[in-house]
Amino acid sequence: MDVSADVDLVMDMAGDAGREERRQSAGGPGAAVASVGHDARAPGPPAAHGAQSKIDMHHHYCAPQWRAWAEQHGLITREQLPPWARLDIDAAIGFMDRAGVSTAVLKPMLPARYRSSAQLREAINITLQSMIEVATSHPGRFAFYVPLFLDDPDASSWAIRRGLGQLGAVGVNVTANYGGVYLGDPSYDRVFHELNAHRAVVDTHPHNLPGCPPGTTTVPGIPNFMCDFLLDTTRAALNMIAKRTLDRFPDISVVLPHAGGFLPSLATRMRALGRFCDPPLDPAAVRDHLRRFYYDTAGPMAAAATLLTHVPADRILFGTDWPAAPADTVLDIALPELDADPAFTPEQLQGIYHDNALRLIPRLATV
């Protein structure tokens, strides 16, 4: 049974991370990143970003209990996971303090090829219990999403009942495609009906493009996360528009990562050429869905002016992508560029950093 929605993604990133780690140890061009794990742990002097109370809606988490369990069952080897997947919560808090992040919503990663639905449920349960321990031990600092594997609808239904119904998760996390079947596909309707009943926040994340062998890049020398991930998000969003997902499930809130991938840049193209899709895209539906999705800034984010042409600023959420995005990428590039982006007013930035997330998930005020 293959329900490993992101195992190929992590294997690919592990290879890139391993190469970067070797360059760092040799003092090469990536040496500045070598101390990310250490620096992230140490509070150090207050950063320029520390005065801003931010809510990080895109914060990866690989549970150490899951890692030990998966290794014990022969589902992964240590080399399959990138080094950043082994950073702990002390490192997370150190990074958050430097970035001015008051609360982070954990996006769980548990990439493996599970042998049965029962084994997948055990993996999800271990991860959920780990996130609960983290949130309980650090009041106010962490909330968490439930990981769903939509190609296993029974396990997904169980995870929704357990995570949203019993354990206090603030939403669910899904990937853009499972085995090449993209979000919006009718095969996922059963799970989406349940999510709609919970009025769930559905956080999405890209994956390697379908047909990409594990651990390989589609263009030699160019990591898949550089542009393939953005295309994967774009495909999922376009398929949800084509299938009218937000109309059929009006009570869910879908969050697109990395500012929606290429979606904002394709908006005019979709309205002009959508008639060639099967069935044809209604330009009004394109315009409507673009305004109803949420978008996070993880990336760093692309030019905001294009996004704001199609999307209200109150639909944009702050996300760091840490630790997949190294601390120096967030602190030295992403945050300064977001702060200085002329497309945003100070009031809009306040919404992006904090207020928009609270409107979407009021419970974040009391985690």
Side-chain angles (χ1 to χ4, degrees), residues 259 301-311 316 338 341-344 352:
M301 195 172 97
T306 302
L307 182 61
L308 286 176
T309 301
H310 308 286
V311 176
I316 304 174
L338 188 57
D341 197 313
F344 293 126
I352 291 167

Side-chain angles (χ1 to χ4, degrees), residues 215-232:
T216 65
T217 57
T218 55
V219 180
I222 300 177
N224 289 345
F225 59 76
M226 186 68 69
C227 52
D228 286 12
F229 283 16
L230 303 181
L231 177 57
D232 200 44

Side-chain angles (χ1 to χ4, degrees), residues 9 47 50 154 186 206 208 216 244 286 307 327-329 339 357:
L9 173 158
D154 290 336
N208 285 339
T216 65
R244 308 292 283 266
V286 172
L307 182 61
D328 66 341
T329 297
D339 285 338

